[in-house]
Amino acid sequence: MILISEDVWGAPFQALEGSFPITRNDDLWSNPEELKASLKDVTALVVRNRTKVTADVIAAAPKLKVIARAGVGLDNIDIKAADAAGVVVVAGLGANACLLYTSDAADEGLG
């Protein structure tokens, strides 16, 4: 399952929606306890700049494989905790962009 915790949406997510379950809660970033409780079955977490992806958040997501930062900068993500948990962190480097998977890459990374 893909969880989007902020106001991030567009054609790439619409394309994924047919192949993967996506949960979108634009205000989830504002409630860390609710965010942690929502992560049980999440394999990919998509954030922007408001969601604080701390070690506690990562620990609450046992199936998490990918944290995708829509936009630039990774200062709201605990990179060391993600690395220790084997979670890949990706961002739209050099552009204020959202993550876009091809169907083959999505199957490999999220399937």
Side-chain angles (χ1 to χ4, degrees), residues 2-63:
I2 300 169
L3 176 63
I4 303 172
S5 64
E6 295 184 51
D7 185 19
V8 179
W9 194 251
F13 295 107
Q14 290 170 339
L16 286 176
E17 198 171 30
S19 301
F20 298 97
I22 297 177
T23 299
R24 179 179 169 205
N25 182 338
D26 295 349
D27 297 318
L28 193 56
W29 65 270
S30 64
N31 187 333
E33 293 307 312
E34 185 180 350
L35 173 62
K36 287 190 281 188
S38 300
L39 292 170
K40 179 182 168 196
D41 295 317
V42 169
T43 55
L45 175 62
V46 180
V47 303
R48 287 193 74 189
N49 59 327
R50 296 182 195 169
T51 305
K52 304 302 180 206
V53 186
T54 63
D56 287 344
V57 168
I58 294 166
K63 297 180 182 179

Side-chain angles (χ1 to χ4, degrees), residues 98-110:
C98 61
L99 178 67
L100 172 61
Y101 284 109
T102 65
S103 60
D104 289 343
D107 287 342
E108 189 67 30
L110 301 174

Side-chain angles (χ1 to χ4, degrees), residues 71-73 91-97:
V72 295
L93 299 176
N96 194 6

